[in-house]
Amino acid sequence: MKEYTYIMIKPDGVKAGLTEEIVRRIQNKGYEIKLFDVRKLDGDILDEHYAHVKDRDFYPEMKEFMLSDYVVPMIVYGENAIQGMRDLMGPTRSSEAPAGTIRGDFGNKEIVNQNVIHGSDSRETALIEIERFFNIKVNHGEEKDF
Ligand code: UDP
Ligand code: MG
């Protein structure tokens, strides 16, 4: 089934000029970018988005990094897009990410939070994240005009 997923290029990716390269990789994999934005986040939306790691010791540094510059939020759509995007991104730790993945090729091998890109981890969180960042309700498999 075609799925929606929430993808976000983090400030390190934007600053390094990787936006076009990442867009190309997403499209080459056959996914559509339905919406694309460039913006700065505020602390509240970030705390919500990262509620699952908010109490971890690395969070303050990560929060400062995520608020430090522009991010590129996207809605990506395609067959098996959630897992497919996770595969394209590589694992959380760039030091463990294989060459050919976005994190493996461009992530910071020492600083875990500077791993270039976010992607939703399940069908349920994808819909929640799309609504959180774009204020839009979508259903997987349902073509929609944006
Ligand atoms: N993170 C970190 N140190 C860790 C684990 C996670 O800085 O030990 C950051 C990293 O930026 C990661 C984000 O927290 O992308 C969210 O963690 P999650 O486990 O959801 O990883 P992801 O889904 O991004 O691979
Ligand atoms: Mg995650």
Side-chain angles (χ1 to χ4, degrees):
M1 189 210 269
K2 287 196 176 181
E3 296 173 331
Y4 289 95
T5 187
Y6 177 68
I7 298 298
M8 177 164 62
I9 306 176
K10 299 184 181 185
D12 54 335
V14 176
K15 272 200 279 238
L18 293 170
T19 301
E20 284 180 279
E21 171 64 22
I22 290 169
V23 163
R24 197 175 303 124
R25 289 186 186 205
I26 293 169
Q27 292 175 331
N28 282 347
K29 198 155 171 166
Y31 302 139
E32 278 178 76
I33 296 171
K34 292 283 194 184
L35 281 177
F36 175 102
D37 194 19
V38 182
R39 70 174 83 142
K40 282 188 176 169
L41 301 179
D42 65 51
D44 289 347
I45 200 166
L46 199 76
D47 289 348
E48 236 184 68
H49 179 62
Y50 283 125
H52 63 299
V53 292
K54 198 170 167 285
D55 297 325
R56 302 282 297 276
D57 55 359
F58 61 79
Y59 189 69
E61 188 185 324
M62 178 197 183
K63 182 171 180 177
E64 193 184 334
F65 160 66
M66 287 298 297
L67 300 182
S68 68
D69 213 324
Y70 290 96
V71 297
V72 173
M74 287 181 257
I75 298 177
V76 171
Y77 186 62
E79 202 64 48
N80 192 34
I82 295 166
Q83 187 56 48
M85 279 303 306
R86 298 282 300 188
D87 295 344
L88 196 66
M89 289 159 49
T92 307
R93 293 177 181 277
S94 303
S95 58
E96 294 168 6
T101 64
I102 292 169
R103 286 168 167 172
D105 291 346
F106 306 118
N108 188 312
K109 304 284 191 279
E110 276 88 47
I111 306 171
V112 179
N113 64 54
Q114 296 187 18
N115 58 2
V116 184
I117 189 165
H118 165 83
S120 308
D121 63 6
S122 73
R123 283 193 174 170
E124 191 187 0
T125 51
L127 302 187
I128 293 168
E129 291 176 352
I130 286 168
E131 188 170 4
R132 174 177 300 138
F133 285 94
F134 284 101
N135 210 14
I136 284 172
K137 281 187 199 284
V138 292
N139 295 307
H140 297 300
E142 199 173 278
E143 286 286 346
K144 187 176 165 78
D145 288 329
F146 289 93

